Amino acid sequence: MTTIDKLEDVQGIVFSGYNKYMANCSYYLLKIDAAAKTKSWLKNLVEQNQITHGADKATAETENRISLAISYSGFEKLQLDQDSLYSFELSFREGMHSEHRSALLGDRGINDPSQWQWGSGGNSVDLLFILFSKNDAIHSASCKYHEKAFKGAGLSVVQRLDAGQKKQNDNGFAVEHFGFADGVSDPLVDGFPTTSGTGDIATGEFLLGYPNQYDGKLTKMPQLGASGDALGKNGTYLVLRQLKQDVGAFWAFMEEEAARQGITADYLAAKFVGRWKSGAVVEPDQDTDPNKVDNSFNFTKDPHGQGCPLGSHIRRANPRSVGLGATEAESLKVANRHRILRRGRSYGSFLANPAQDDGNERGLLFICLNANIERQFEFVQHTWINSVKFAGLYDEDDPLIGSAVEDNRNFTIQDLPIRRRVCGFQQFVTTKGGSYFFLPSLSALGLLGGS
Ligand code: HEM
């Protein structure tokens, strides 16, 4: 079992999305206008213990949690020397909006960075400041306080994204806008305080400075001049994407198509996701939600996708023990080299009637953490979610969130005696903004601030 050197040095969001006590959350996307002022603000934040660390457990009394991440342009503006800048991984240096990375991620057509609300062109961002609060009153006072502090810190707000209403199901899981339990499957990470015993996934997949899952070695860390590993150690990369969900179109299509096929809309939607609304995985010969959630499956009882379809969202996002190698162990080994830690929240209000749109924007502020953006987030998005040749399929991408096929999209539901095909549907999720960030340790933030 790996031991994390100092939990006090790791930002708390690595271990928790603060869903239990923090009802409110705002994501501030900031631009640095005066680096010297920003540095002294950074120094104060760290010295006054305002950035939440991993040993600081939230309770019902805790008022706020704060996380801070920096983009490549942010590090440039904080005047890191060229060698230090170059020590970050290529995907981070190029940026999510760049020609190459956006093509790789499937951000084309309606998802193209030229159409984003932030994250590209004049709306690129240097810092991500995430403020969580216990309730509305505390949140509005805290937002006011920090917005004033940003002004004094030479920072301007490019965009403030507020996480929306929170909804929970009977099993205690947060519910996303399509109506499904979210946050059911998170990797059990070795050495994390939230994992009892030895975890399945190496610490170094999510925290730099520890052996990784790929080859048991240390993933390359960003370096800070004479301070060396101090910039990278206990830090990780953070991916943020604003993903708009077209809930009305999704459920209107489910109802229409289900009626045509003589099945229920909930059954069809569950096949798209691979889980029922409750969070239970769809198993073969199941017509309704069993309402029992257990994440300890690996698809070996459903090798052909007759329960959880081969091309469904969760099977693409984490194929587990089937399909990636000659044996189950080999497949799991491959799958586990491409895991991500999700920490996002929904934004916008929930629709009263999901099949009837109200014209307001809603979706997911998708956040994931990973030690290597290219091998983890980008691989999942490109090679699994957006692959039209995934698992022997040939003309379809992830039916829930894929963007490889623009229109007239297809989805195959494996079944006996014959498979079902769902055809002619649109993209239900659109990228509205995004950026790669680095989430430094607290000591690294101190160094950047000039401590
Ligand atoms: C609006 C966009 C999205 C929606 C509505 C959505 C919805 C869901 C739902 C309902 C689940 C099942 C419950 C759970 O385990 O949390 C899930 C699982 C998952 N999603 Fe997404 N998701 C979205 C975007 C993404 C993106 C962009 C990625 C990565 C590129 C991703 C990766 C995953 C992973 C890794 C899992 C867990 C799979 C497993 O281990 O079983 N999702 N998602």
Side-chain angles (χ1 to χ4, degrees):
M1 193 173 133
T2 304
T3 308
I4 294 172
D5 290 349
K6 260 172 85 187
L7 286 179
E8 296 81 3
D9 194 34
V10 180
Q11 292 205 41
I13 195 168
V14 172
F15 308 118
S16 167
Y18 308 125
N19 282 315
K20 190 164 175 194
Y21 296 115
M22 298 291 126
N24 302 66
C25 174
S26 293
Y27 301 71
Y28 284 99
L29 299 161
L30 305 168
K31 206 179 246 324
I32 300 175
D33 302 318
K37 287 184 183 172
T38 305
K39 283 187 186 183
S40 73
W41 167 79
L42 201 55
K43 186 168 179 259
N44 285 340
L45 276 181
V46 177
E47 286 177 0
Q48 293 165 6
N49 291 321
Q50 292 201 46
I51 309 285
T52 310
H53 61 71
D56 183 3
K57 279 201 177 146
T59 66
E61 273 71 52
T62 308
E63 297 197 342
N64 297 117
R65 312 269 76 179
I66 290 176
S67 311
L68 185 68
I70 306 173
S71 72
Y72 185 69
S73 61
F75 282 111
E76 283 181 315
K77 289 196 186 163
L78 291 174
Q79 292 142 0
L80 254 67
D81 62 88
Q82 277 307 312
D83 285 350
S84 303
L85 287 169
Y86 199 74
S87 67
F88 285 99
E89 69 164 275
L90 180 64
S91 58
F92 180 72
R93 284 185 272 136
E94 288 187 346
M96 189 189 284
H97 64 286
S98 66
E99 184 65 21
H100 178 69
R101 314 263 33 128
S102 60
L104 188 144
L105 295 171
D107 287 332
R108 285 290 174 266
I110 51 171
N111 303 289
D112 196 278
S114 59
Q115 321 235 11
W116 289 1
Q117 293 168 9
W118 61 272
S120 76
N123 286 334
S124 64
V125 296
D126 302 324
L127 297 185
L128 166 66
F129 182 91
I130 315 180
L131 175 64
F132 298 89
S133 316
K134 179 180 154 175
N135 59 36
D136 288 350
I138 291 173
H139 197 62
S140 94
S142 306
C143 285
K144 245 189 220 152
Y145 171 85
H146 288 289
E147 282 169 19
K148 193 169 164 215
F150 296 152
K151 283 192 186 135
L155 292 165
S156 49
V157 179
V158 175
Q159 189 101 9
R160 169 179 159 178
L161 303 168
D162 292 326
Q165 256 177 312
K166 283 194 77 174
K167 208 170 165 183
Q168 266 197 344
N169 71 11
D170 296 342
N171 299 321
F173 289 111
V175 173
E176 54 71 45
H177 282 292
F178 291 138
F180 290 80
D182 198 9
V184 180
S185 174
D186 232 358
L188 288 173
V189 189
D190 197 30
F192 272 27
T194 38
T195 305
S196 56
T198 307
D200 306 333
I201 310 293
T203 321
E205 289 302 277
F206 304 110
L207 217 44
L208 290 165
Y210 303 87
N212 65 26
Q213 188 78 22
Y214 185 65
D215 54 11
K217 297 186 179 152
L218 301 189
T219 299
K220 186 173 166 277
M221 264 187 278
Q223 304 286 311
L224 186 64
S227 307
D229 287 349
L231 176 60
K233 169 109 188 179
N234 283 336
T236 191
Y237 289 97
L238 183 154
V239 175
L240 172 62
R241 275 164 86 74
Q242 182 179 347
L243 300 173
K244 178 186 158 214
Q245 293 175 251
D246 198 342
V247 180
F250 179 81
W251 280 106
F253 176 78
M254 290 301 144
E255 284 175 9
E256 194 186 311
E257 179 66 13
R260 207 180 62 76
Q261 296 211 19
I263 51 181
T264 66
D266 275 1
Y267 172 87
L268 184 59
K271 291 284 187 180
F272 270 51
V273 176
R275 290 188 187 266
W276 296 96
K277 280 183 178 167
S278 67
V281 66
V282 186
E283 292 182 357
D285 302 319
Q286 223 173 30
D287 296 331
T288 50
D289 193 338
N291 223 337
K292 261 198 220 137
V293 185
D294 175 5
N295 195 39
S296 64
F297 60 90
N298 53 19
F299 298 127
T300 45
K301 288 192 191 142
D302 185 16
H304 308 297
Q306 285 153 14
C308 182
L310 298 174
S312 62
H313 176 56
I314 71 151
R315 204 144 173 172
R316 283 176 178 268
N318 180 14
R320 305 188 187 209
S321 303
V322 173
L324 301 178
T327 61
E328 288 168 11
E330 187 59 31
S331 180
L332 191 61
K333 194 169 154 193
V334 175
N336 281 344
R337 289 175 180 155
H338 307 286
R339 303 294 301 276
I340 51 175
L341 257 189
R342 290 171 297 145
R343 291 285 181 259
R345 289 198 177 195
S346 292
Y347 70 98
S349 60
F350 281 82
L351 272 179
N353 174 359
Q356 222 163 51
D357 196 31
D358 61 2
N360 294 324
E361 186 174 322
R362 54 182 54 78
L364 180 68
L365 295 169
F366 173 86
I367 282 191
C368 80
L369 305 179
N370 43 193
N372 185 309
I373 298 174
E374 207 169 325
R375 179 167 59 78
Q376 295 171 266
F377 165 70
E378 285 187 347
F379 183 94
V380 173
Q381 173 81 16
H382 170 263
T383 313
W384 291 343
I385 282 174
N386 269 338
S387 168
V388 289
K389 301 255 188 313
F390 183 81
L393 303 163
Y394 60 93
D395 65 352
E396 55 188 273
D397 56 356
D398 183 320
L400 194 73
I401 69 161
S403 54
V405 185
E406 264 190 22
D407 227 332
N408 270 323
R409 310 177 62 227
N410 304 317
F411 175 49
T412 307
I413 300 175
Q414 291 75 31
D415 209 347
L416 285 175
I418 51 163
R419 63 183 190 163
R420 284 173 197 279
R421 287 274 283 173
V422 182
C423 299
F425 57 92
Q426 64 168 84
Q427 286 181 22
F428 298 116
V429 169
T430 315
T431 315
K432 288 290 180 188
S435 185
Y436 292 146
F437 297 91
F438 188 71
L439 185 85
S441 66
L442 273 79
S443 52
L445 284 174
L447 275 176
L448 292 165
S451 294

